[in-house]
Every structure is written in structure tokens, then in C-alpha cells.
Amino acid sequence: MDCRLSCELIAHAYAEQAPSSSARARLYLAIREAIIARRLAPGTALPPTRTLAADLALGRNTVVRVYDQLIVEGYLDSRVGSGTFVSDAVAATAPQQKPRRMVGARSEGLSRRGCRIAADALSSRVQAGAFMPGFPDVTHFPFATWRKLVAKQMRLEQRHLAQYGYGGYGPLKLVLAEYLRVTRMMSCSPQQILILNGSHQALDLCARMLADVGDVAWMEDPGYWGARNVLSACDLAIHPVPVDAQGIHPQAEDWDHPPRLIFVSPSSQYPTGAVMSLERRLRLLEYAEKNRIWIIEDDYDNEIRYHDHPVASLFGLSAAQRVIYVGTFSKVMYPGLRLAYLVVPEDLVEAFTTGNAELYREGRMLEQAALAEFIDGGHFTTHIRRMRGIYEERRDRLIAVLRRHLAGIATPAGGLAGLHIPVHFERPLDDVLLSSQALREGVVMRPLSLYAIDAANRRPGMNLGFAAVPVEQIEAPALKLVRLIHGLLPAGGR
């Protein structure tokens, strides 16, 4: 291959690289990938740096640096007076084949656990738009205030914030303890609070510190697939327990076989929206104390409620300290923050703090320091109050459209808290098929049937997130769903 052909080949490979990368990175990857794939064979002469720079409209120094880097790494040889050539050393290795597609279902080489995680994943690559559940409206977040608080921490040059944390930033834990006392009627010390990177990490820590391989964990059914997958990935045996209008509802045979862990979301069960009754709460706590069971209380939706009478947390009701409380900032502030927290019983503090440091390391101290001031300055509660009103208006609009057009076909439920509403079908409809049809029309609808573990608890319907859709934009995608639903009904049932 002469220099002219190699120049054209490199130019083509360069054009295929991601335009968001720097010119130097694009050229480096283009040449390296062409060499590895043998499109530039060993011994091939590369064009002079001036020629290639002119063809690609790059500075000659950029090309020189790329050639130099590839020479250092052994992909190219520079021969004085002759030019630059693809190294013969590459010929000693088999050419690497580029995968036919970047994302696939490849499973060879994975562990049994890895195969199970990949196969059971229910998260969607679509994370925005109507009607993606669990996604807050980040356009109303006070980023200007947040930016000032983060900049303040940077300006102060508090070098300890650049180090690992140990259990979390002290002032943040202090304001959180007071916040939980006022809003959740919880009495806890700052030392009982651990700051983590998201609620999934919090659940993973609980599973690893409190249960052994094969131990049984009760899960609400239907329930949050993310929690199920985290506990399952820790090799716990998942036991589904049905949910009704009063929350988790263990049957007689369930009570006869105590689990090691119970995962519940009593304030607003996901995805049904059920609020656990006081009777169920007290019985669950009594059962946990008697059988030495740990209860993991997921209170992710407590702040986003549309009623004035929050029910006391299980942690606040538990005198025996058998409850670990999980809270998160992802839904109230913005998902990318990835900060959550655990409140653990006093006798677990030392072990959990050590386990967290050993398994995950700790950081994000700069954001934690800004968050402490954000809460202490009243910005957090102000934002929550504002968003409650915005979300409530959007929820009401969506429910009104569905009731007007789907009476007798689909019934909205829950809606007392959270960023979504479950809608149950009163007619036999395939919610998975509906979901795929809706996605083709640009509407996200999560099938309720996929949240169930046991087929006996499976009920078709829609899980619709309304929070990130402006109220004036709700009706159009909702009517698309209405049209698709009517199209799936038997001819005599429309």
C-alpha cells in the first residue's frame, strides 16, 4: 500500500471517530484501530506528517505527536531517511476483530451471577420524557444556588474535602439528623447516619453486612426491580410477598418461615403507591423483633407526598432497633447527584462504617459539604414545597385525561406520593405489547406486569411517570396511549 492509499484510509477512519473527542485523540484511535484490524498491514508506509496534516486540515504538530505516541507504544517504526512504517511486531499477533455491534447480549465469560444480572435487568435506556417513571423535573432545581454553594467550598480550599470520607461529612449528618427528627419523627444521632453513593449501594451494603449467601429476603410483590436485583446479586433467596391496598400482606405460610431480611417501602409502595397501615407496621415490627429479622425501610418518596399527614417511619416506631432506614436525594434534587444515606441502629454503626469504607471507599465530600449548607440554609425544604405543587398539578392533569378517555378500561391508583401513578387495566390487555407500541411513538410506558416476581401477583397495567412532563404537554402523549389501548381492545369491547 502506497502513501496515498494509506492517507485515504486514515482519513476515512478519522472521519468515523466520535466528533466530540479532540482531533489528536481521533487521529490516534483511527491509526491504531486500522493497524490492529490489519487495514494498515505491517510494513505499510504512512504518509508524511505534512501531507496527512494538510489532508485532514490539522496542525502538523498534532500529527507529529500522534506518530510519536504510536512509535513509543510499538505500533510504528521510524526509519531515518525512509519515513514512518507500521511495525512488523504487530504481525506476531492475531488481528483483533471489531465486534459487530457495540452493545449486545454476549454472555460467555460472565459468572453465573453476572449472567443473572444481565438477564434480569429491567432498567430502560430511555431515561427521560413522557411518561418515564421515577424521573424528577430537574429544570426547576435551583442550580444557581447550588453552584454558589459548591464554588464556596472550592474557594475555601478545605483540603480535607479532597480526602476519603469516613461515614460521611459530619455537618451533613448533623443537619440530616435534625431534618429526620422534624419530618419523620425519628430520633437518631448523627453517628447513626452513613452517606453513600446512591440507594443501590446502600442496599448492597445492607445485604453484605447482614446476610449470608442463600439467606431469605422478603420482597414486596410487585415491587422495585432495582432492589430485587441488588439483593439477588448478593446471592440472597428472594421470597415474594403480595401487596394489597394496605401494603405488604404476608400470608399464613409466610409468617411460618422467618426470613433474614425484609425489604419494604411503607410510605409509598413502589409501584402500587399503597401506604402501609399502622396495623401492618406494628405487626411487622413485632415479628422482626421476635425472630431477629432485619427490616430495610426504603423511604425514597416520603418528601414528594400530596397529603398533610405523613405516617411515622418504621425506624421511628421500632423500639427494638431492627430497622435500617434508606433515604435518597436523587428524586428530590437531581438523579446525577447520586447521594443517599442509611440510618442504622446504634450497635451496627461501627461495623457498617467499616464495611462501607472497605467495600466502596468514600468520597464526594465537596458535594456533601455543599448539601449540608443547602439543607441548613432552608433551600432543600423550599425546593420540596415548590416541586410538590408542580408535581401535584401534573399528576391531576394526567389522571383527569385517563379517567375521561379510559373509563371502564383502565383505573389510576395510588397517587398519594411519588413521581408516578400506577394504572390498572380492567380489560384483558397485553401491557408489554402496549409498551413497545408506545415507545415507537415516542411515549415511555413501563408495564406493571414486569414488576411482579410471582405470576400469581401479576396484574397488567401501566406505570406512568408525570413529574418531568410540563402540565401543558401531558395531554398529547396521554392521548397516544389512549389510542393504542383502544386499538388493542377486542372489537366488541371498544
Side-chain angles (χ1 to χ4, degrees), residues 296-313:
I296 303 174
E297 178 181 15
D298 187 5
D299 205 26
Y300 75 103
D301 257 351
N302 169 63
E303 284 90 359
I304 310 298
R305 63 179 187 276
Y306 311 110
H307 54 90
D308 296 327
H309 305 289
V311 183
S313 65

Side-chain angles (χ1 to χ4, degrees), residues 3-4 7 10 27 31 46-67 83-84:
C3 287
R4 187 68 255 168
C7 190
I10 292 171
L27 181 59
I31 298 175
L46 266 65
T49 55
R50 291 187 187 278
T51 302
L52 186 59
D55 277 12
L56 299 181
L58 298 176
R60 181 170 176 260
N61 284 341
T62 298
V63 179
V64 169
R65 289 174 181 174
V66 169
Y67 277 24
T84 305

Side-chain angles (χ1 to χ4, degrees), residues 138-453:
V138 298
T139 63
H140 289 282
F141 183 74
F143 281 108
T145 300
W146 179 249
R147 188 164 52 248
K148 289 178 182 178
L149 293 175
V150 173
K152 175 183 176 182
Q153 302 303 323
M154 292 286 289
R155 189 168 59 252
L156 292 175
E157 292 190 19
Q158 301 184 77
R159 285 174 170 74
H160 64 282
L161 297 180
Q163 305 296 328
Y164 289 125
Y166 193 70
Y169 183 60
L172 175 58
K173 300 202 292 182
L174 188 67
V175 297
L176 269 178
E178 176 61 16
Y179 173 78
L180 292 171
R181 184 189 67 80
V182 173
T183 64
R184 301 301 289 127
M185 294 161 279
M186 289 171 54
S187 177
C188 65
S189 69
Q191 288 72 30
Q192 290 176 258
I193 299 175
L194 281 78
I195 311 299
L196 301 103
N197 295 330
S199 58
H200 282 209
Q201 187 184 94
L203 292 177
D204 189 73
L205 179 62
C206 289
R208 295 182 186 280
M209 297 302 295
L210 299 176
D212 292 311
V213 172
D215 280 350
V216 175
W218 280 8
M219 294 286 302
E220 299 165 319
D221 194 24
Y224 177 43
W225 55 265
R228 181 203 320 167
N229 288 345
V230 169
L231 298 183
S232 179
C234 291
D235 291 312
L236 302 189
I238 304 301
H239 177 74
V241 179
V243 172
D244 64 13
Q246 297 183 57
I248 192 169
H249 188 201
Q251 307 302 296
E253 58 270 23
D254 295 322
W255 294 115
D256 291 338
H257 299 91
R260 177 64 175 171
L261 301 176
I262 299 176
F263 176 85
V264 290
S265 47
S267 296
S268 177
Q269 200 276 332
Y270 189 84
T272 69
V275 178
M276 190 184 296
S277 66
L278 179 60
E279 179 185 355
R280 295 262 178 95
R281 291 167 185 252
L282 294 176
R283 185 175 185 190
L284 201 63
L285 289 171
E286 180 183 8
Y287 181 69
E289 180 181 359
K290 178 181 178 181
N291 294 281
R292 300 192 61 76
I293 299 164
W294 294 107
I295 297 175
I296 303 174
E297 178 181 15
D298 187 5
D299 205 26
Y300 75 103
D301 257 351
N302 169 63
E303 284 90 359
I304 310 298
R305 63 179 187 276
Y306 311 110
H307 54 90
D308 296 327
H309 305 289
V311 183
S313 65
L314 286 175
F315 188 98
L317 289 172
S318 175
Q321 294 198 341
R322 302 299 303 180
V323 179
I324 293 92
Y325 180 95
V326 183
T328 179
F329 299 100
S330 296
K331 306 302 183 192
V332 182
M333 295 178 65
Y334 57 93
L337 183 62
R338 303 307 303 146
L339 284 179
Y341 57 94
L342 284 176
V343 186
V344 302
E346 292 176 344
D347 55 356
L348 294 181
V349 168
E350 185 174 350
F352 263 64
T353 303
T354 301
N356 185 40
E358 288 296 310
L359 292 176
Y360 317 111
R361 293 302 182 193
E362 298 170 275
R364 310 291 300 279
M365 300 297 284
L366 186 69
E367 292 94 333
Q368 290 186 42
L371 181 55
E373 289 204 34
F374 190 76
I375 296 173
D376 195 42
H379 308 293
F380 187 65
T381 53
T382 297
H383 179 60
I384 289 172
R385 284 196 299 267
R386 183 188 184 200
M387 296 314 297
R388 279 178 187 162
I390 292 173
Y391 292 153
E392 187 170 16
E393 183 183 17
R394 296 175 181 182
R395 177 204 64 173
D396 292 347
R397 175 66 63 87
L398 179 57
I399 290 175
V401 174
L402 296 176
R403 285 178 174 167
R404 185 165 65 247
H405 295 279
L406 294 176
I409 300 172
T411 304
L416 293 176
L419 308 176
H420 75 283
I421 54 170
V423 182
H424 299 291
F425 292 151
E426 307 301 333
R427 309 278 187 87
L429 285 166
D430 186 336
D431 57 357
V432 177
L433 175 60
L434 174 63
S435 176
S436 64
Q437 291 181 349
L439 193 57
R440 284 197 292 270
E441 298 207 16
V443 180
V444 181
M445 185 283 285
R446 299 305 303 275
L448 277 182
S449 63
L450 295 185
Y451 290 87
I453 306 171

Side-chain angles (χ1 to χ4, degrees), residues 427 489-494:
R427 309 278 187 87
L489 289 172
R494 298 179 189 176

Side-chain angles (χ1 to χ4, degrees), residues 58-113:
L58 298 176
R60 181 170 176 260
N61 284 341
T62 298
V63 179
V64 169
R65 289 174 181 174
V66 169
Y67 277 24
D68 287 346
Q69 179 68 33
L70 291 167
I71 290 169
V72 169
E73 293 179 0
Y75 292 100
L76 299 178
D77 284 330
S78 178
R79 304 171 190 172
V80 178
S82 298
T84 305
F85 300 83
V86 176
S87 172
D88 290 334
V90 181
T93 61
Q96 297 182 21
Q97 299 299 318
K98 188 175 181 178
R100 292 184 179 179
R101 55 178 183 170
M102 297 302 292
V103 179
R106 179 177 178 178
S107 61
E108 70 261 27
L110 294 179
S111 65
R112 288 191 296 273
R113 181 189 297 110

